[in-house]
Amino acid sequence: MLGSKLTGFVAALSSTLLMAGPIAAQDIVRTFNMHFFTGFPIYVANELGFFEENGIDTEPRYFPSGAPIIQAAAANEWDITFLGAPPFVLAGPRLDLKTIGVVTDGSTFHQLIGRADFVEKVKADPSLLRGAKIFVTTNSTGHYVLDGCLEQFGLTQEDVTILPSEQTAIGAAFLAGEGDLAQVWPPLGDALQQKGDNAVLCDGVAAGRSVPDIWVVHPEFAAEHPEVVERWMVAVLQAVDWIHEDPERTYEMFKKFDDFRGYESSDDVLRAEVQTLLTSLLSGPQALEMLSSQGDEQSPVAASYQGIANFFKRVGVMTDVPEYGDLVDPTFVEKALAN
């Protein structure tokens, strides 16, 4: 009797499973990310199950900067990652890494900020900028943008006093009254404008300096699993669309992200950071445009890398400027958009 019941149960279970359809296999993707707001789409894709929906099994690992991610690339410890432009410019050619997506062009949120009265005076008389004490994270995209800002005012780095410092230290020192200007990016730029009477003197757009944040794939993974990379990109672009669709919903999710990354940002700073994200985060078609070359001209992303590399060579960080065109691949975004 028991055997008969068990047989009936197994048959019913088998029938239910057949009706539900086969369980899709999940492809493992080792995803690396950073705590910056530009890494938020990966957090969203993971939290909302977009990776799982597209057959991706991943548990994103987070890092404070791009340096350890590049070190891990040499040991083939990740498959796809978020990166800022400088680590890619320095190590991409050597490791044959491929840029497969663009998150933002950070020109808008790399800002040279000063106390409002000083900013107003410099705008009226740029000669007052000569000799200014400027906090900057050296050999970074911020340093690159600062160089462009000074150029717009007819000056060079030799005409001002550079105060090398990391972003957290810059915030504390500038709010304590030190220095004349600070070269910053979010969340520090948003925080400085929320605290005290501070204003933007120049940003990357005014400086004519493009500084993309990017998605990067390891060459071995791209060669062996191109269809998995495509599905990973579909999931991330779903997250990008979700972020753009409803700002208030995005803000609520971003508060969870802020807790996750261990920050204690005020609501004002968080809202400013979300607004910066919404205005700078590229849609799939916009990213594709950045990745695609036109005729004999290199893609906008490759041109950005070239500009940063030229700057790094000038300040002694690099000895040669490689070609970056072959390291930019628009096909994964193109296929994801056609999905």
Side-chain angles (χ1 to χ4, degrees):
M1 187 72 173
L2 179 61
S4 174
K5 290 182 177 179
L6 184 59
T7 300
F9 172 75
V10 171
L13 178 62
S14 299
S15 176
T16 300
L17 290 174
L18 286 172
M19 289 175 63
I23 300 174
Q26 300 286 299
D27 291 297
I28 296 174
V29 179
R30 298 170 300 168
T31 301
F32 277 20
N33 198 8
M34 286 186 274
H35 297 101
F36 302 142
F37 77 105
T38 38
F40 183 57
I42 286 180
Y43 178 84
V44 171
N46 194 51
E47 287 293 299
L48 298 184
F50 294 148
F51 284 129
E52 185 177 2
E53 287 176 14
N54 287 281
I56 303 295
D57 179 5
T58 190
E59 293 184 10
R61 293 180 59 190
Y62 288 78
F63 295 84
S65 69
I69 295 177
I70 288 298
Q71 291 171 359
N76 193 13
E77 293 179 3
W78 53 262
D79 302 316
I80 305 177
T81 188
F82 162 81
L83 272 182
F88 188 90
V89 167
L90 292 169
R94 174 170 54 86
L95 299 173
D96 198 30
L97 303 177
K98 296 291 189 294
T99 297
I100 58 170
V102 185
V103 192
T104 66
D105 185 339
S107 304
T108 57
F109 54 77
H110 279 73
Q111 299 169 325
L112 185 59
I113 289 179
R115 295 168 191 89
D117 57 345
F118 182 70
V119 168
E120 185 177 353
K121 290 176 182 176
V122 170
K123 286 183 176 180
D125 182 3
S127 68
L128 296 176
L129 189 56
R130 190 179 299 273
K133 297 178 180 178
I134 305 177
F135 287 107
V136 61
T137 303
T138 52
N139 302 331
S140 68
T141 46
H143 194 183
Y144 177 54
V145 168
L146 171 61
D147 184 74
C149 285
L150 291 173
E151 187 177 287
Q152 294 301 312
F153 287 103
L155 301 175
T156 68
Q157 294 183 62
E158 287 69 34
D159 296 315
V160 299
T161 300
I162 299 294
L163 303 175
S165 188
E166 294 303 314
Q167 291 286 291
T168 302
I170 288 175
F174 192 76
L175 287 173
E178 298 179 33
D180 298 305
L181 295 163
Q183 182 67 56
V184 296
W185 54 76
L188 182 54
D190 298 319
L192 288 182
Q193 292 179 77
Q194 294 291 332
K195 300 176 182 179
D197 190 17
N198 300 310
V200 176
L201 174 62
C202 176
D203 61 17
V205 176
R209 300 291 170 93
S210 171
V211 284
D213 293 301
I214 52 177
W215 307 125
V216 177
V217 68
H218 197 280
E220 292 185 21
F221 193 76
E224 295 172 6
H225 306 286
E227 76 292 341
V228 179
V229 179
E230 179 187 331
R231 283 188 277 116
W232 187 97
M233 186 60 68
V234 169
V236 171
L237 291 181
Q238 282 180 290
V240 169
D241 289 341
W242 186 93
I243 290 167
H244 278 300
E245 283 167 4
D246 187 334
E248 191 59 31
R249 181 182 66 183
T250 293
Y251 170 70
E252 293 301 324
M253 177 69 80
F254 198 84
K255 286 198 295 186
K256 296 179 182 178
F257 178 61
D258 197 60
D259 289 339
F260 169 78
R261 60 186 181 170
Y263 290 15
E264 295 181 356
S265 305
S266 68
D267 282 347
D268 287 344
V269 170
L270 278 180
R271 286 196 178 277
E273 199 170 356
V274 169
Q275 184 57 39
T276 300
L277 174 68
L278 291 170
T279 56
S280 62
L281 183 63
L282 300 183
S283 67
Q286 289 172 323
L288 182 60
E289 186 175 348
M290 287 280 289
L291 293 163
S292 302
S293 56
Q294 300 294 330
D296 294 333
E297 294 185 6
Q298 59 185 342
S299 68
V301 170
S304 297
Y305 294 158
Q306 205 83 33
I308 295 169
N310 286 330
F311 170 72
F312 281 167
K313 182 180 180 182
R314 183 151 52 84
V315 297
V317 176
M318 298 176 69
T319 56
D320 298 302
V321 176
E323 292 292 330
Y324 291 94
D326 291 342
L327 302 181
V328 178
D329 187 348
T331 60
F332 295 106
V333 168
E334 191 173 18
K335 291 177 180 177
L337 290 173
N339 190 286

